[in-house]
Amino acid sequence: MIRKASKADVSQLAVLMGELGYPTTTEEMEHRFSKINSNSMYNTLVAEESGVIVGMIGMILGFLYEKNDNYVRVVALVVDSNSRKQGIGEKLIEKAEEWAKEHGANGIVLNSGNRSERKDAHQFYLKRGFQGKSTGFVKTLT
């Protein structure tokens, strides 16, 4: 079942962030989710099986400067390692596409790290019609 995430899901979302490569405590996730969930431009969906969260997708609605279009950026997508290759990620992407269309977006964008452990994720995205089109840059401000 795919549904909107709630505050009750925070501890399981923290575990999934660890699966994504970002170890997170429940307290940290509570803080993050509180900010995210209070902003209507964000949408967090979870995949639940037998009362356990086995996947999540977090996205934000954005607006372009160079065109009169909206887009959705997938900020986080993860499926529990024991539940992969069962169509859960694909269902989460489909729901993201539905949400994007409901909000007048004509595209979805995402970033995925250039690390060897992301190779399967890159193939997953390519198989679902995403194209590798840009290079991302990051600068940490201290």
Side-chain angles (χ1 to χ4, degrees), residues 20 41-43 45 56-62 71-78 89 92-97 99-100 107-112 124-125 130:
L20 194 55
M41 303 296 273
Y42 281 83
N43 188 19
L45 303 176
M56 68 82 63
I57 190 166
M59 58 204 121
I60 185 171
L61 180 64
Y71 69 97
V72 166
R73 174 173 296 281
V74 174
V75 182
L77 172 60
V78 60
L92 288 166
I93 289 287
E94 288 171 2
K95 290 294 185 182
E97 291 174 358
W99 188 73
I108 295 181
V109 299
L110 59 85
N111 289 60
S112 184
F124 170 84
Y125 298 130
F130 288 83

Side-chain angles (χ1 to χ4, degrees), residues 61-75:
L61 180 64
F63 311 106
L64 296 171
Y65 284 91
E66 69 277 14
K67 297 179 186 175
N68 296 332
D69 297 328
N70 301 345
Y71 69 97
V72 166
R73 174 173 296 281
V74 174
V75 182

